[in-house]
Amino acid sequence: MRVLLLALVLAGCAGGGETAPPGADFGPDPQLTAPHSQLIPTVKVAPAVGWRQGAAPTPAPGLKVQVYASGLNHPRQLYLLPSGDVLVAETAQPPSPAPKGLKAWFEAHFMKKAGANVPSPNRITLLRDADGDGTAETRSVLLEGLNSPYGMALVGQTLYVADTDALLAFPYRPGDTRITAPARKVADLSAVQPNYHWTKNLVAGPDGALYVAGGSNSNVGEKGMEIEADRALIQKIDPATGAREVYASGLRNPVGMAWEPQTGALWVAVNERDEIGDSVPPDYMTAVKAGGFYGWPYSYWGGHVDKRAKPPRPDLVATAVTPDYALGAHTASLGLAFADANVAGLPPTYTGGAFVGQHGSWNRSVPAGYKVIFIPFRGGRPAGGPQDVLTGFLDAKGRAQGRPVGVALDRTGALLVADDVGNTVWRVSAAAPTRP
């Protein structure tokens, strides 16, 4: 018991090594501090407390925020249907065996404190704002009995859902509020224990394929590479046959995916590895190169070698693609959505760029993330620093009132944000013009 208590104290106070200046771990050329060996990982959790009555996150100047839907159960991912209805995946990590070892126990304990490791609702809920006032006045359970669902994509009259262990297909008719037909399994997805990064995201491609992202089964391959088969990659899957190929690999935890509207390129937001410092390596977003290898577990940010990965693979490191844009270390950048030039629900400032939902750090001495940011684009490429869109998820005591995850644009072009601690979907739009 004394050893355990000592470890808890050390974990709460562990330093994160050299720290980059604020903002230096963002952009196309981030400042990478030297990796810092940590016997015990830094743990600084923002306890999840939820929003008090009437409270809300803080929008940037020129914006307003309202409740689109509240009283949800761990909403994580959003998807806009052609009708304007919004699907929300209410989901969480599936059950797993009790953690083995002190380090694993630590992580499970603090993740629960942060609002994770809760029972998964295992459903997809449909939200409908029929009168266009920015609040969903009706909701219905479209699908239930799923297995930690996350990604959703509608192609014609088929709704595809990425559970943690399978890509599923369901018949869908416009206007449906409930689907009772059994699923057709398109393909199995790896859920080998401990199923460390359990989310499987999904986008439909213009080529008719489905692109499915899944994260690694460990931090840096420390559990052996055998359990990493079909992990840390984006797969391209034929929806008719289930045939698959690796589209890109070496992506530790690719979550948010979206097509950039000007170039048609697939972009992904990736959570990088832990336990080598507060400022290294940064999470990132990047245009995905077909066949590209992005380093995990052998290197990060291109060719920066991670000496913890055994045995080393200099042959793979030599091919590692450097990402396009750093999103800050340990920000847990999970949501990604693009605004094109036709966005009417937001000011012109927010056209031609990417919105990123940053869930927030749990393993950094100074918290990072816990907000939604906007990265301006020009010519299909990032063209400026991050701009805060929605903040205030941490209260004055450093507690998490909410944590943003998935982001999507509604039919008016306003921004929707899933908040899995606040159990709310927020809607961010242009503020009403002020009278002179």
Side-chain angles (χ1 to χ4, degrees):
M1 179 60 73
R2 290 181 180 178
V3 172
L4 176 60
L5 290 174
L6 176 61
L8 284 167
V9 172
L10 289 173
C13 301
E18 181 185 357
T19 301
D25 52 356
F26 279 81
D29 187 24
Q31 179 178 327
L32 300 183
T33 58
H36 171 66
S37 177
Q38 294 181 274
L39 177 62
I40 299 175
T42 301
V43 175
K44 187 164 186 177
V45 172
V49 296
W51 298 95
R52 68 183 185 279
Q53 185 69 31
T58 304
L63 301 175
K64 65 178 180 180
V65 63
Q66 65 190 101
V67 173
Y68 186 78
S70 61
L72 297 164
N73 189 348
H74 218 248
R76 297 274 292 187
Q77 181 67 324
L78 302 169
Y79 184 78
L80 179 69
L81 292 171
S83 64
D85 291 341
V86 175
L87 302 184
V88 53
E90 296 179 89
T91 188
Q93 183 175 2
S96 59
K100 295 180 179 179
L102 184 59
K103 182 178 174 182
W105 183 91
F106 258 143
E107 186 169 313
H109 172 78
F110 285 109
M111 286 298 92
K112 186 173 183 178
K113 186 177 181 182
N117 290 353
V118 298
S120 180
N122 288 335
R123 65 176 177 245
I124 292 174
T125 295
L126 182 144
L127 305 175
R128 179 170 293 170
D129 174 18
D131 59 9
D133 66 351
T135 298
E137 63 273 3
T138 62
R139 71 180 69 181
S140 57
V141 175
L142 184 73
L143 286 166
E144 60 185 339
L146 300 168
N147 186 16
S148 296
Y150 198 86
M152 299 162 282
L154 179 66
V155 181
Q157 292 189 320
T158 303
L159 179 66
Y160 295 94
V161 176
D163 269 4
T164 191
D165 60 354
L167 175 60
L168 306 175
F170 297 89
Y172 171 84
R173 295 172 301 177
D176 278 352
T177 58
R178 177 80 172 170
I179 296 175
T180 58
R184 172 176 66 88
K185 182 187 289 187
V186 177
D188 289 314
L189 302 175
S190 175
V192 173
Q193 292 296 337
N195 204 14
Y196 187 62
H197 291 120
W198 58 272
T199 59
K200 305 295 194 304
N201 203 5
L202 162 68
V203 293
D207 56 358
L210 299 173
Y211 292 78
V212 179
S216 67
N217 215 354
S218 62
N219 181 34
V220 66
E222 68 275 8
K223 301 179 186 299
M225 295 305 289
E226 296 80 8
I227 65 170
E228 302 294 349
D230 294 330
R231 309 288 294 224
L233 46 65
I234 297 172
Q235 298 185 76
K236 181 178 178 179
I237 300 178
D238 184 322
T241 66
R244 70 183 80 195
E245 61 182 89
V246 174
Y247 187 70
S249 61
L251 300 155
R252 178 179 177 264
N253 189 24
V255 185
M257 288 194 295
W259 300 97
E260 197 284 316
Q262 187 167 348
T263 63
L266 177 63
W267 281 70
V268 63
V270 179
N271 290 186
E272 258 292 0
R273 65 204 72 198
D274 300 322
E275 301 173 23
I276 52 175
D278 269 9
S279 301
V280 65
D283 295 342
Y284 61 85
M285 65 179 186
T286 192
V288 183
K289 297 182 183 296
F293 172 72
Y294 288 82
W296 189 88
Y298 308 105
S299 67
Y300 55 87
W301 200 259
H304 292 79
V305 173
D306 192 329
K307 295 181 180 179
R308 298 172 299 173
K310 303 294 183 182
R313 290 291 303 273
D315 56 324
L316 289 177
V317 172
T319 70
V321 179
T322 300
D324 288 303
Y325 195 95
L327 292 170
H330 313 302
T331 54
S333 297
L334 300 178
L336 179 66
F338 282 100
D340 61 24
N342 298 315
V343 172
L346 293 168
T349 306
Y350 299 103
T351 60
F355 293 99
V356 180
Q358 298 192 311
H359 200 220
S361 62
W362 61 272
N363 55 354
R364 193 176 189 273
S365 58
V366 177
Y370 295 97
K371 58 185 175 179
V372 178
I373 61 174
F374 177 77
I375 310 297
F377 271 53
R378 186 177 303 113
R381 306 291 301 174
Q387 302 171 14
D388 288 350
V389 174
L390 202 60
T391 58
F393 287 91
L394 294 182
D395 67 13
K397 296 181 179 180
R399 301 175 302 182
Q401 302 173 104
R403 299 185 76 182
V405 192
V407 291
L409 299 179
D410 72 9
R411 60 183 170 184
T412 73
L415 180 68
L416 301 177
V417 180
D419 173 355
D420 67 350
V421 162
N423 290 322
T424 300
V425 173
W426 302 100
R427 183 177 185 269
V428 183
S429 60
T434 57
R435 295 181 180 273

